[in-house]
Amino acid sequence: MAVGLTTRMSPADAAHIAEAARCLRAGGLLAFPTETVYGLGADAANPRAVAGIYEAKGRPSFNPLIAHVADLAAARRIARFDARALALAEAFWPGPLTLVLPKAADCPVADLATAGLDTIAIRVPAHPVAHALLQAFGGAVVAPSANISGHVSPTTAAHVLSDLDGRIDMILDGGPVEVGVESTIVGCFDTPMLLRPGGLPREAIERVLGQSLANPPDEPASDTNQPLAPGMLASHYAPRTRVRLLAEAVNPGEALLAFGSAPLPGIEAAAAVLNLSEQGDLGEAATNLFGYLRALDAAAIASGASCIAVMPVPNHGLGEAINDRLRRAAV
Ligand code: TXA
Ligand code: MG
């Protein structure tokens, strides 16, 4: 376990981005901002560094990682793109879309990072700090969300520090992230498949493809026992406090995660209230989601509240990813 490291928190300026690239080259573990959530990065081609990510996060090692690269040209060195994958990459990169593609023959990414699969998940992040870091480093950086496995994903550098202090080398603080939920993952299989709803709405992807995205089967493929998106564990993004969905009223002493401006019976007796978006804006709600879950969890623990009640959120656009994360938080 990589406990006992001194974790440096640094501003994401040019000097520290250069230092971060050196840290990656030396096999270090580094948290950095992307537009979706903070990632915990390591050199994708260095198996020991990749193993360090699994240790620092306490992550089950069957769960493969996303390779982050600076641009499409770099992506084409590690995976094979067909016409459909190219169309998606050209429409949405850089941005919150991850493509699962067949590995290139000479793919340099460590087997441990892809959990022995012959496919690889790739994304080109849009955040200027992530982009500068990837350019300075030159190679692919594997990066899961920078939290202890199963916890709420980090949307600020302070969230990263509270989970991973002493377990990683460095955190680049680029301020709060913009999107707030992880990238959308599309499997570029014979039938393109939405493996994880995320920061790019399904509808936008379907418009470019000119067809609808399939949903993954509920059961893992029985021949290999390998789930299509192995990280989609039922319980994930979990606060310590119980989460109650589709609340139509607040019970005395519950904390409330609200959405929209409709009045809610019992709200005056809530232990704490945060509103994802008073205006009912799903983008604003996605940005606030993980930070508010962390804050309400802390408030509930401090006040002895037994439960975080969550108001319904519409399921279109970014609402699909928000509801996916809320369901996993409630398991
Ligand atoms: O927005 C994001 O995607 C963030 C930032 C840091 O880029 N990263 C992120 O990574 O969410 P992580 O490790 O928390 O989630 C990666 C997901 C997991 O569900 C994993 O199982 C899936 O990607 N995945 C990775 N490689 C795969 C593959 N070859 N086939 C299917 N799913 C894969
Ligand atoms: Mg994660």
Side-chain angles (χ1 to χ4, degrees), residues 203-232:
E203 295 87 340
I205 300 167
E206 291 178 337
R207 268 197 299 278
V208 168
L209 286 175
Q211 73 183 108
S212 38
L213 288 163
N215 293 312
D218 287 338
E219 291 299 312
S222 56
D223 51 340
T224 59
N225 219 20
Q226 183 72 259
L228 287 165
M232 299 305 286

Side-chain angles (χ1 to χ4, degrees), residues 9 146 148 151 154 156-165 171 294:
M9 174 81 97
I148 294 285
H151 280 192
T156 66
H159 295 160
V160 178
L161 191 67
S162 85
D163 266 27
L164 298 177
D165 192 15
I171 302 170
R294 280 182 186 254

